[in-house]
Structures are given as structure tokens and as C-alpha cells.
Amino acid sequence: MFIGGNKDKVIENIKKSVSKQEYNVKVEVDDPNLSEWEKQRTVNQFLKNSNTLRYKVCNICARAIIDTATRYLNRNTIIVGLEHLKGIQAGAIITSNHFNPLDNTVVRHTMKKASYKRMYIVSQDTNLEMKGMVGFLMRHADIIPLSNNKKYINETFAAIIHKHLRKKHSILIYPEQEMWFNYRKPRPPKRGAYYYAASNKVPIISCFVEIIDLPKEDTPEFYQTQYVMHVLPTIYPNPDLSVRENSIIMMKKDYEQKVEAYENAYGKKLSYDFDKKDIAGWICKE
């Protein structure tokens, strides 16, 4: 599931970020760069368009494209722990490690297997300005834009999250925030995903994707890879605790589960000292 051009600079940014213990910063180099005003304009336009007939038609097309791509890209994906999704009666927040622009298809594939009807994805507002087919999908394939604007976050964004959870939809929120290309290790999470789970009284569907190197080259830089989706025990909020208390406990538990899944999958203790094997499939020339 390779996407994008030369990744030397991205890997170098990952190395630098690890050395500074900054695990949630941006490392990609070609993402759209917008001012705060441009970001808000983009989000406002997206919200306005989402109520139009044209958007609804494009949404149907985009979902069909994504579903087709999901089946193709995950034809060899292995799912472990699907039984943990049995018995979930309400909407849920999904968390997973973020290592590829298309890794959400692994999660989508898993939720389809669990008979979830619809999955939304929280995505950075700048992604709405991507070009070509990726941009079309970002603007139309059940995306919930995330912005730094506090008024938007506290009012509009929270209301959108609440609406979809009440409809028993699942929502994928990457607690690591930024994508680190083909980075194998789970990174310490931010609390947002767990706050929305706790405040809406819904569970966390805890996931970790293992990446296996294959012997065939995909590009001069990378070998092909295969995925193993580990569905971990579902994490429920405690009705006797506050939203803040629940969000902290759920976040800690989710991270512990992902670390354990990593250590079991790769047969070694988690250390954030950088190693070339941290980047899955990388044909390191050093």
C-alpha cells in the first residue's frame, strides 16, 4: 500500500522527531500549507457543501470508490481479534496507529467484517485541499474535518461527532495525530479521541496494525508490505467517573494495549530509539 514520492526527507524528519521525543508532530513535506484563515474558509465551505444534493451524489460515488479500493488493497490483510467487536450496541470511537494515507482502509475493511454500516474519519482540515482523486475522496468520503479553531472544535465539531455516534456510526480518530510513513511503533496518544468517547458514553475500539515486509520491491525505496489488523479488547467508560477521569484512564489503557500488541507482534520490547527496521519495507542504502 505505497503512496507518495521520495521518502528520504520524511524518514529523516521521523529520526529527528524521535530524538526530540516529539511523537505527534508533522513529518510529511508535501502536505498543503494553509493560513488559519484559509483553513477556516476551507472548513466552512466543506460544511456548506455537505448539505447540497451535489455533495450527496459525490458522497455515494466516493463511498463506492473507497469500498472497492478497500476490498482490493486488503485482499491479503489478516484480521485477528474480531470477536472483540461482538456485543457493541452503540456508536464507537476507533483508534489505530497512523502510518499511511490509505491505512484507514485496513480499519474500514475490519469494520465491514464486523457488519458496521458506516465509518467516518476525522481528518486534518488541510487535507480538504489535496488535489486529484485523493482530494475528491477527502472532501466526499465521510470525512469529519478537524481544525485548530476553538469555537469550531467546541461547537460544530463536537456536535458532528455526537450526531454520528447517536446514529450508531463508528468514527476513526487517530490519537497519534500526524501520519508517520510506515512507522511500525505505536506512538503516545493525545487525549481528544478518548474525551469524545467519554463525553458521549461510547466505547473505544482499540486497534493496532502490524506491518509485514514482503520480498518483492514496490518502489526503489520500499518493499511491498502486508498488514495484520489486531483488534484489541474494547475499552468502555466507567459511568461512575467524570469525563476527564474516563478519558485519561481510557487513553492509558489504549496505549498499553497497543504497546503490548506491538511487542507480541514483533517479539521485542518497545523502545523509541530509532532503528532502520522501524520503517516497514524500507530499502535502507546506509
Side-chain angles (χ1 to χ4, degrees), residues 28-53:
E28 289 291 319
V29 295
D30 296 322
D31 287 354
N33 188 15
L34 305 177
S35 67
E36 291 304 315
W37 179 84
E38 289 172 324
K39 290 178 183 178
Q40 194 57 46
R41 181 193 62 184
T42 298
V43 170
N44 289 340
Q45 188 62 49
F46 171 84
L47 295 174
K48 180 180 178 180
N49 291 343
S50 65
N51 293 316
T52 65
L53 177 60

Side-chain angles (χ1 to χ4, degrees), residues 140-184:
H140 297 100
D142 288 349
I143 295 296
I144 304 174
L146 180 65
S147 172
N148 292 329
N149 184 283
K150 289 185 178 180
K151 180 177 174 60
Y152 169 79
I153 287 291
N154 293 333
E155 297 178 9
T156 307
F157 181 80
I160 294 172
I161 294 289
H162 179 77
K163 177 184 72 173
H164 288 303
L165 291 174
R166 294 285 73 79
K167 290 182 177 181
K168 299 185 178 181
H169 297 155
S170 58
I171 302 175
L172 172 60
I173 302 179
Y174 291 110
E176 297 172 342
Q177 291 190 334
E178 296 292 342
M179 182 193 78
W180 283 19
F181 188 78
N182 274 22
Y183 189 70
R184 283 190 159 105

Side-chain angles (χ1 to χ4, degrees), residues 61 64 110-111 126 148 153 164 195 199 246 256-257 261 267 277:
C61 294
T110 302
M111 300 309 292
T126 53
N148 292 329
I153 287 291
H164 288 303
Y195 167 81
S199 61
N246 265 317
E256 289 174 350
Q257 290 189 170
K277 292 182 180 179

Side-chain angles (χ1 to χ4, degrees), residues 112-286:
K112 290 280 187 183
K113 292 293 184 181
S115 300
Y116 253 83
K117 294 180 180 179
R118 202 159 178 179
M119 185 185 87
Y120 284 76
I121 303 171
V122 171
S123 180
Q124 293 287 344
D125 46 16
T126 53
N127 290 334
L128 297 174
E129 290 295 331
M130 288 185 171
K131 306 300 181 185
M133 179 56 70
V134 174
F136 173 80
L137 296 175
M138 282 292 177
R139 290 185 291 274
H140 297 100
D142 288 349
I143 295 296
I144 304 174
L146 180 65
S147 172
N148 292 329
N149 184 283
K150 289 185 178 180
K151 180 177 174 60
Y152 169 79
I153 287 291
N154 293 333
E155 297 178 9
T156 307
F157 181 80
I160 294 172
I161 294 289
H162 179 77
K163 177 184 72 173
H164 288 303
L165 291 174
R166 294 285 73 79
K167 290 182 177 181
K168 299 185 178 181
H169 297 155
S170 58
I171 302 175
L172 172 60
I173 302 179
Y174 291 110
E176 297 172 342
Q177 291 190 334
E178 296 292 342
M179 182 193 78
W180 283 19
F181 188 78
N182 274 22
Y183 189 70
R184 283 190 159 105
K185 295 175 179 176
R187 291 176 275 142
K190 294 295 187 177
R191 195 162 58 94
Y194 313 95
Y195 167 81
Y196 290 109
S199 61
N200 286 282
K201 299 180 174 61
V202 300
I204 290 288
I205 294 176
S206 177
C207 299
F208 177 76
V209 182
E210 174 189 355
I211 315 173
I212 300 172
D213 294 351
L214 299 177
K216 185 178 180 180
E217 286 190 13
D218 199 10
T219 73
E221 282 187 288
F222 288 90
Y223 290 109
Q224 293 181 4
T225 56
Q226 181 183 0
Y227 300 120
V228 179
M229 165 59 89
H230 296 270
V231 183
L232 309 174
T234 302
I235 304 168
Y236 290 88
N238 185 333
D240 297 326
L241 299 179
S242 69
V243 169
R244 176 177 172 78
E245 288 170 329
N246 265 317
S247 66
I248 293 172
I249 291 171
M250 295 170 85
M251 177 179 67
K252 181 180 178 182
K253 180 63 176 176
D254 190 32
Y255 180 57
E256 289 174 350
Q257 290 189 170
K258 286 176 168 56
V259 170
E260 183 179 7
Y262 167 86
E263 293 178 344
N264 289 337
Y266 297 108
K268 59 182 178 181
K269 288 291 184 181
L270 175 66
S271 166
Y272 288 112
D273 295 334
F274 185 83
D275 184 279
K276 63 182 181 181
K277 292 182 180 179
D278 293 347
I279 310 300
W282 186 27
I283 304 173
C284 182
K285 300 296 196 295
E286 295 176 1

Side-chain angles (χ1 to χ4, degrees), residues 76-91:
N76 296 317
T77 294
I78 299 168
I79 303 175
V80 178
L82 199 60
E83 67 275 6
H84 291 305
L85 298 183
K86 292 180 180 179
I88 299 178
Q89 301 296 322

